[in-house]
Amino acid sequence: MLDKEIIEKMLKVANEAEDNAFIFKSNHSFGAAVLTDDGEIYGGCNVDGVISGMGTCAESSALNHAVVHGKYNIKAILVVDEKEFIFPCGTCLQYLVQFYQTTNKEIEVISAKQSGEYQSKLLHELLPEAYHSVTFDQKLKSFINK
Ligand SMILES: [Zn+2]
């Protein structure tokens, strides 16, 4: 499990990202941060969509932000809410699984409150029967040192 110092850095990035949430429908902003295996942190926020299902969660947004920077090996993800402990939705957990498949190293999933309190779980604790693609496994592994 990650130490408190790095979690505090992730929380800061997630809080900053949350400030930029593009929300006009959900009325609830979320921030997230992804830690890559080289120690970089990328933030994400939720983006509403005018058509149902078109929006993006903060967690997926943070993952995409890491990809934009050429980072695919994800060590941890943090999601922050003002008052409650929340964990990523099922879609985001399954999205995380394809990043897990690049390294086969368990990903830590942290739920934090803005106050700094947090809970930590592992990806496969939250999604024990996750779908692991056999078809794309080798291609996903090709991103390990890319
Ligand atoms: Zn989600």
Side-chain angles (χ1 to χ4, degrees), residues 56-60 87-93:
T56 305
C57 296
E59 299 91 323
S60 290
F87 282 93
C89 74
T91 301
C92 286
L93 291 173

Side-chain angles (χ1 to χ4, degrees), residues 97-115:
V97 171
Q98 63 193 20
F99 293 94
Y100 161 82
Q101 280 194 259
T102 67
T103 61
N104 275 1
K105 286 184 194 163
E106 192 57 83
I107 296 173
E108 190 170 338
V109 182
I110 301 140
S111 171
K113 292 183 190 174
Q114 279 178 348
S115 62

Side-chain angles (χ1 to χ4, degrees), residues 67-104:
V67 169
V68 165
H69 290 270
K71 303 298 173 70
Y72 314 98
N73 303 156
I74 308 300
K75 199 170 177 182
I77 189 164
L78 175 147
V79 58
V80 62
D81 185 61
E82 197 180 336
K83 293 175 187 153
E84 287 181 81
F85 285 121
I86 54 152
F87 282 93
C89 74
T91 301
C92 286
L93 291 173
Q94 186 62 58
Y95 198 51
L96 264 171
V97 171
Q98 63 193 20
F99 293 94
Y100 161 82
Q101 280 194 259
T102 67
T103 61
N104 275 1

Side-chain angles (χ1 to χ4, degrees), residues 47-59:
V47 178
D48 278 353
V50 292
I51 297 169
S52 188
M54 198 171 70
T56 305
C57 296
E59 299 91 323

Side-chain angles (χ1 to χ4, degrees), residues 24-42:
F24 48 82
K25 197 165 79 175
S26 59
N27 290 322
H28 196 120
S29 59
F30 291 99
V34 153
L35 174 70
T36 55
D37 67 351
D38 60 355
E40 295 293 324
I41 299 171
Y42 299 95

